[in-house]
Amino acid sequence: GNSVTQMEGPVTLSEEAFLTINCTYTATGYPSLFWYVQYPGEGLQLLLKATKADDKGSNKGFEATYRKETTSFHLEKGSVQVSDSAVYFCALSDNSGYSTLTFGKGTMLLVSP
Amino acid sequence: DSGVTQTPKHLITATGQRVTLRCSPRSGDLSVYWYQQSLDQGLQFLIQYYNGEERAKGNILERFSAQQFPDLHSELNLSSLELGDSALYFCASSETEGFTGNTIYFGEGSWLTVV
């Protein structure tokens, strides 16, 4: 079956540090890949997505590249802010069937001033 | 704001009771999904409806049921509630029923506490 594995958190960084959150996946076919973010007390928001190999999704300074050879979709940001503190979820949608999402367990990011 | 509206935002109820969670999808979206987020299980897909018909089923208990109405809003019914049903229940919607590149948008969730 499909699965998503994320690095365990929390990830603790100082403001302006470089961020990487690792995500690898197992899926049949050619899934679409997503990063969702959940700010404290809020729902899930789509952060970025990529639908085919070598695509790079980007938004709000975050980016992730769909690497089929390593089955990875690592999230990166060059300079984090305190306002980026949230839980980040990597997810995939199996395009061989219906577009239900399989999520990783989430990685909490804490950014201090 | 994703455009997906869920009510109620918070709900506290006793074991054995029944509750109904409501969801209005984004304008124009025909698919509605329900997810459960709990500390031990993470985010689990429950069920999907497309234009009123059930399309996919995930880890949904027999005590739970859902439906999508002609105006496309959806309700998730949870009955014979147990302490372990305490969780954040998300509704999500998308334009189509599946396949390549479909993006799913989430509401803010309904917090259910069973005491």
Side-chain angles (χ1 to χ4, degrees):
Chain A
N2 299 333
S3 67
V4 175
T5 303
Q6 290 181 238
M7 59 189 291
E8 287 196 25
V11 173
T12 305
L13 295 173
S14 298
E15 208 165 23
E16 299 183 4
F18 184 85
L19 168 71
T20 300
I21 300 178
N22 290 336
C23 170
T24 57
Y25 67 89
T26 302
T28 54
Y30 302 92
S32 294
L33 302 174
F34 304 84
W35 277 100
Y36 282 84
V37 58
Q38 186 176 26
Y39 296 102
E42 298 185 13
L44 288 168
Q45 299 177 27
L46 177 65
L47 182 59
L48 53 85
K49 68 176 184 179
T51 58
K52 60 183 188 296
D54 299 326
D55 266 3
K56 178 185 283 188
S58 61
N59 186 26
K60 299 181 182 179
F62 292 90
E63 58 182 34
T65 301
Y66 187 160
R67 301 286 189 202
K68 185 165 174 57
E69 63 276 12
T70 55
T71 62
S72 65
F73 193 54
H74 305 321
L75 182 68
E76 297 181 334
K77 186 176 185 183
S79 176
V80 294
Q81 306 299 312
V82 172
S83 58
D84 293 327
S85 298
V87 180
Y88 292 82
F89 292 90
C90 185
L92 71 83
S93 174
D94 183 348
N95 293 318
S96 67
Y98 297 104
S99 61
T100 59
L101 287 168
T102 300
F103 284 91
K105 291 192 179 298
T107 302
M108 179 177 287
L109 170 65
L110 299 171
V111 181
S112 56
Chain B
D1 183 2
S2 67
V4 179
T5 304
Q6 291 187 245
T7 57
K9 292 197 184 316
H10 301 274
L11 189 57
I12 301 175
T13 190
T15 53
Q17 295 298 304
R18 171 190 167 98
V19 299
T20 298
L21 309 180
R22 183 187 167 100
C23 170
S24 295
R26 293 187 327 150
S27 177
D29 284 358
L30 298 178
S31 261
V32 169
Y33 311 78
W34 287 97
Y35 284 80
Q36 179 194 58
Q37 184 180 32
S38 61
L39 280 175
D40 53 344
Q41 297 290 327
L43 269 160
Q44 299 275 316
F45 167 68
L46 296 179
I47 198 163
Q48 178 198 5
Y49 280 83
Y50 175 77
N51 205 20
E53 294 187 6
E54 183 182 304
R55 272 292 181 264
K57 224 170 190 179
N59 301 319
I60 188 166
L61 299 173
E62 284 192 12
R63 300 183 285 108
F64 296 0
S65 65
Q67 58 184 130
Q68 185 179 27
F69 295 86
D71 66 354
L72 301 177
H73 90 271
S74 178
E75 293 181 355
L76 179 66
N77 299 297
L78 315 173
S79 62
S80 302
L81 285 167
E82 302 174 0
L83 296 177
D85 297 327
S86 296
L88 180 58
Y89 291 85
F90 283 113
C91 174
S93 72
S94 66
E95 188 176 351
T96 65
E97 67 179 308
F99 312 109
T100 304
N102 193 21
T103 298
I104 299 173
Y105 296 90
F106 284 76
E108 294 190 354
S110 292
W111 280 101
L112 173 65
T113 302
V114 182
V115 298

